[in-house]
Amino acid sequence: MLRALLRSNRLIISTSARSPFFCTRAFFTSSSRPFQSFSFQGSSFGNGDDMASKEAKISLKAPKGTRDWSGADLLLRDHVFETISNVFKLHGGTPLDTPVFELKEILAGKYGEDARLIYDLQDQGGELCALRYDLTVPFARWLAMNNTQQIKRYQIAKVYRRDQPAIARGRMREFYQCDFDIAGVYDSMIPDAEILRVIVEIFETLEQPITIKLNHRRILDGLFTVAGVPAEKIRPISSAVDKLDKEPWDAVKKEMVEQKGLPEEVADTIGQYVLNKGTIDEMIQFIRADPKLSANDEIKAGLDDMDLLSSYCKALNTFDSISFDLSLARGLDYYTGLIFEVVQKLPTPKDGEASRYPEKSSSKSSDASAVGSIAAGGRYDNLVGMYGKKQIPCVGISFGVDRIFTILKARRGDNAGRARQIDVYVMAFGGKEFDGLLLQRMSVARQLWEAGIKAEFSAKVKPRLPQQFKAAEDVPLAVILGQDELAEGKVRLKVLGSGKDKEKDDKDQGLLVSRDDLVAEVKKLLQTNSIPIR
């Protein structure tokens, strides 16, 4: 056995030559970082002296724009998943799963200026592939491939974007999307109205006030045409206008004029229109009152759709959650009709426009309010036809789970880290002859598990009582075993205190119950308001 110690970084290397393929283990210790270890196997790394002469460096972190999920955070994220998927199922959704990467040609030409954010993969086996950017294009490919004519589909999966991440604000490079889409030929605006209802139901269940910003691509394109935007510049100008939720009009106008090559007077005309928003009925009236806008055929068709949508939203009780916002553009090229984004409803700012551009804020406390849109979607009637012989109209919504999580976690505050995983802790105590009652603790835990109750016990033969209470700190109930009580076939069931009245908590010996009644008593206590949800 060879051992070497480098004092500079306290690198201890040990090699064992018991077999031709020796194992080298390196241990790094430092006052500035936790103890870490890694192993190499095989003879190609040279001898121990070579290893000792080089500083082995490894960066122990998740890649930029990604994160690990654990504990309370993971439980909260799973709660979001469950809430969303339950609403999808309520509306007849059928689950779908697609590969995490697609042929590059499938994704090409669908995302406009955002195509630069696609992760390309090296040629593997003769196919050029890329990580999926969203779940919509893979769904369209699946529809065309399987010749599916009608479906309500939902999918919950990770997508990848080579974006500049801001993890605290929920902007990631790897993140989850939850999609719900209605594909098929239906009467106008009925599926669109149902999608808006799905949005409202999900955020009502999550108790998150929201505003659904919506617009219509045909109205927006007609507006640009009336303002004098050339046809070939409509999509680039649309992408610029879409930034109005983050940037002031002057910055957007500058981009249109200096970067997109639009005449200044045309940009000014656009500004007269896109800075307006209101209810669906108010904006329909506003557009029809303008002779130039109301004379455009594209705008007329879009207004007919919005008339229908207004009546459907009133019937589905979503009308008051909607803001018809002419600045909403959505940069993706495949949208053809209604488009929408969901943002959290924030308190009205005291100084007017001071909080209009939350992305500019540097305060950490503003992270939750600066996440941007938390869901988005629209109608895409021509996308499926790009892959198959037949067009299949579709409309859908995508929920950004990481951004929703950021908001919910901020709302929970200090309680976010105390999500309950166990309902009952099984413990034991005794005198000098106490042997730990391990088998009895196991038996009680098994009894609770079989009844579907989340329970835990110390994995020590003779645990000390203070250690057991410490382990049960965030658990609402304890089953306490004593030798005398067990001899009578009984245990003590104790509601663990909140810590507010320690003297009262210490005096409470718990309820003496028989083993036969234990499950019923536990369930009864868990269902009462006396057990706080942590």
Side-chain angles (χ1 to χ4, degrees):
M1 180 74 72
L2 171 67
R3 299 185 179 274
L5 173 64
L6 291 181
R7 295 179 182 274
S8 59
N9 60 358
R10 300 180 68 191
L11 168 64
I12 306 172
I13 298 179
S14 63
T15 62
S16 174
R18 294 180 182 175
S19 69
F21 298 96
F22 67 84
C23 177
T24 301
R25 291 189 62 81
F27 301 88
F28 289 85
T29 61
S30 168
S31 59
S32 62
R33 63 170 18 181
F35 184 87
Q36 306 289 351
S37 71
F38 59 90
S39 302
F40 302 100
Q41 204 166 28
S43 59
S44 61
F45 290 95
N47 58 38
D49 291 334
D50 291 337
M51 290 291 294
S53 65
K54 298 178 181 179
E55 286 192 15
K57 294 182 179 179
I58 184 169
S59 180
L60 292 180
K61 70 180 190 68
K64 187 177 181 180
T66 68
R67 61 161 295 178
D68 298 313
W69 292 86
S70 64
D73 285 355
L74 191 54
L75 291 174
L76 178 56
R77 192 192 73 181
D78 287 347
H79 167 64
V80 175
F81 283 158
E82 184 180 11
T83 300
I84 293 174
S85 60
N86 284 344
V87 175
F88 289 167
K89 294 172 187 176
L90 194 66
H91 286 260
T94 299
L96 174 69
D97 189 26
T98 58
V100 73
F101 53 88
E102 294 276 348
L103 294 176
K104 190 175 178 180
E105 61 185 336
I106 295 292
L107 304 182
K110 311 301 186 303
Y111 302 110
E113 294 182 357
D114 286 344
R116 59 187 171 79
L117 303 180
I118 294 175
Y119 274 104
D120 289 338
L121 301 178
Q122 289 185 343
D123 185 356
Q124 298 288 339
E127 290 186 333
L128 293 176
C129 297
L131 294 178
R132 61 189 175 203
Y133 175 93
D134 63 11
L135 302 178
T136 304
V137 171
F139 172 55
R141 187 264 306 158
W142 179 85
L143 285 173
M145 204 171 83
N146 292 276
N147 196 30
T148 301
Q149 299 301 310
Q150 282 191 344
I151 189 173
K152 287 182 177 180
R153 151 273 193 191
Y154 73 89
Q155 183 173 1
I156 299 177
K158 288 182 177 180
V159 298
Y160 300 86
R161 298 181 185 178
R162 200 173 54 187
D163 203 352
Q164 187 60 34
I167 294 178
R169 297 181 179 182
R171 187 184 298 118
M172 313 284 285
R173 288 179 169 174
E174 177 193 64
F175 56 96
Y176 274 96
Q177 284 188 338
C178 300
D179 281 24
F180 182 81
D181 295 76
I182 303 175
V185 178
Y186 300 92
D187 286 346
S188 181
M189 303 309 290
I190 296 175
D192 309 64
E194 184 175 359
I195 293 290
L196 298 178
R197 179 62 203 172
V198 166
I199 296 170
V200 169
E201 288 178 10
I202 285 173
F203 286 107
E204 281 182 349
T205 306
L206 293 172
E207 298 181 345
Q208 174 59 48
I210 52 105
T211 297
I212 304 173
K213 297 165 55 178
L214 59 78
N215 200 353
H216 198 294
R217 263 288 170 85
R218 298 186 73 174
I219 293 175
L220 190 64
D221 290 354
L223 184 152
F224 290 147
T225 300
V226 170
V229 179
E232 68 274 9
K233 290 185 180 290
I234 284 180
R235 287 285 77 83
I237 295 302
S238 182
S239 296
V241 169
D242 200 41
K243 297 175 183 176
L244 277 171
D245 62 334
K246 307 181 196 68
E247 299 178 4
W249 166 249
D250 289 343
V252 173
K253 177 184 173 181
K254 184 177 180 181
E255 178 181 339
M256 289 193 292
V257 174
E258 297 183 4
Q259 298 180 30
K260 313 289 186 183
L262 198 68
E264 187 171 355
E265 61 272 15
V266 175
D268 288 335
T269 303
I270 291 173
Q272 294 174 13
Y273 294 132
V274 299
L275 296 177
N276 292 281
K277 60 184 176 181
T279 67
I280 299 177
D281 292 345
E282 288 171 349
M283 293 309 296
I284 290 174
Q285 185 177 357
F286 169 79
I287 294 170
R288 284 188 171 145
D290 187 298
K292 293 181 180 179
L293 295 181
S294 59
N296 181 273
D297 289 339
E298 284 292 288
I299 293 177
K300 285 180 183 178
L303 290 176
D304 289 341
D305 282 348
M306 298 305 287
D307 270 329
L308 284 174
L309 185 67
S310 176
S311 62
Y312 297 157
C313 288
K314 290 170 183 174
L316 293 173
N317 197 27
T318 59
F319 184 87
D320 292 337
S321 299
I322 293 170
S323 171
F324 189 169
D325 189 335
L326 290 179
S327 70
L328 180 66
R330 303 285 292 139
L332 304 182
D333 284 353
Y334 52 69
Y335 288 122
T336 58
L338 192 71
I339 50 176
F340 37 83
E341 284 187 353
V342 182
V343 295
Q344 61 173 323
K345 187 178 290 184
L346 298 173
T348 304
K350 295 180 181 180
D351 52 350
E353 294 293 302
S355 65
R356 179 177 173 84
Y357 313 107
E359 297 285 350
K360 300 294 184 182
S361 174
S362 60
S363 171
K364 290 184 178 180
S365 64
S366 69
D367 287 339
S369 65
V371 297
S373 63
I374 51 181
R379 173 161 288 281
Y380 51 102
D381 287 346
N382 301 329
L383 183 58
V384 179
M386 295 181 182
Y387 307 119
K389 296 179 180 179
K390 189 173 182 180
Q391 294 286 10
I392 301 175
C394 301
V395 62
I397 177 70
S398 179
F399 294 85
V401 173
D402 296 80
R403 294 186 175 191
I404 295 171
F405 166 84
T406 299
I407 293 170
L408 297 184
K409 184 176 181 181
R411 195 175 72 196
R412 286 191 175 191
D414 294 337
N415 292 326
R418 300 176 64 86
R420 191 171 84 211
Q421 301 180 54
I422 297 298
D423 290 324
V424 182
Y425 197 90
V426 181
M427 58 181 71
F429 68 95
K432 292 182 179 181
E433 304 299 322
F434 177 61
D435 64 359
L437 300 175
L438 176 60
L439 298 181
Q440 291 85 345
R441 285 185 286 128
M442 286 181 168
S443 177
V444 170
R446 173 193 54 78
Q447 181 185 4
L448 296 172
W449 293 334
E450 289 176 347
I453 297 170
K454 294 179 287 185
E456 199 171 51
F457 63 91
S458 172
K460 289 183 176 292
V461 175
K462 293 180 65 175
R464 296 173 59 191
L465 193 60
Q467 293 172 338
Q468 294 178 86
F469 274 110
K470 178 69 176 175
E473 216 167 51
D474 295 324
V475 180
L477 294 177
V479 174
I480 304 174
L481 312 187
Q483 292 167 317
D484 295 339
E485 290 85 351
L486 284 173
E488 299 175 3
K490 296 180 179 180
V491 296
R492 288 195 177 275
L493 180 58
K494 177 179 171 66
V495 176
L496 296 180
S498 63
K500 294 180 180 179
D501 191 340
K502 189 176 185 304
E503 184 178 347
K504 183 179 178 181
D505 293 341
D506 291 342
K507 289 181 179 179
D508 179 16
Q509 298 297 313
L511 177 68
L512 198 61
V513 299
S514 70
R515 283 286 302 272
D516 293 339
D517 297 332
L518 177 61
V519 168
E521 291 296 331
V522 167
K523 288 184 175 180
K524 187 189 300 181
L525 282 174
L526 289 174
Q527 290 171 358
T528 63
N529 293 328
S530 61
I531 302 300
I533 301 298
R534 295 184 174 89

